[in-house]
Amino acid sequence: MTFAEEVAGLTTPHSRYTPMLIGVLTQIGLALAGRARARLAAAVGITAGKDTLLRLVRALPEPETGEVEVLGVDDFAFRKGRHYGTVLIDMATHRPLHPTATTCGPISAKWSRRR
């Protein structure tokens, strides 16, 4: 049973932060990394740990990828000499599109046919 009135857009049930404060913390999380974002939040008077800020950033939806003009393919090692992966990158925005845990040949061909 709730004894406080909920104001639409200002409060949400069972939340520790208001929607506006979540927006501010998310922007701080996007701007800085690690402990620096927690220090900035503390400097402006908001008590939030580094894990909370990271969780807010991870909860953001992935941006839509439109048509890719230039596709970059990069191979990397999860563990040198053991496990390799491939990431496809939109070279116009420099954003990763599709990381995989296999080599690049078949993956990039399948991905380009679907797009």
Side-chain angles (χ1 to χ4, degrees):
M1 179 178 283
T2 304
F3 296 102
E5 182 178 347
E6 292 181 22
V7 180
L10 182 63
T11 60
T12 55
H14 310 289
S15 288
R16 298 184 72 121
Y17 302 112
T18 64
M20 184 184 290
L21 184 57
I22 289 174
V24 169
L25 290 174
T26 302
Q27 291 303 315
I28 289 173
L30 288 172
L32 297 172
R35 292 187 179 129
R37 64 180 104 180
R39 284 194 304 264
L40 177 62
V44 296
I46 304 169
T47 303
K50 60 183 176 59
D51 294 328
T52 300
L53 296 168
L54 183 59
R55 186 177 60 250
L56 289 172
V57 170
R58 286 184 175 167
L60 290 174
E62 289 290 325
E64 288 293 322
T65 58
E67 188 173 316
V68 178
E69 304 245 344
V70 180
L71 180 67
V73 179
D74 189 19
D75 289 330
F76 62 94
F78 288 107
R79 186 169 174 194
K80 189 175 179 181
R82 305 262 178 163
H83 302 284
Y84 295 96
T86 301
V87 64
L88 302 177
I89 301 170
D90 180 1
M91 296 306 290
T93 61
H94 301 287
R95 296 187 141 248
L97 299 173
H98 185 71
T100 63
T102 59
T103 56
C104 70
I107 298 300
S108 58
K110 285 180 195 174
W111 188 87
S112 61
R113 277 194 293 267
R114 284 189 316 199
R115 300 289 173 153

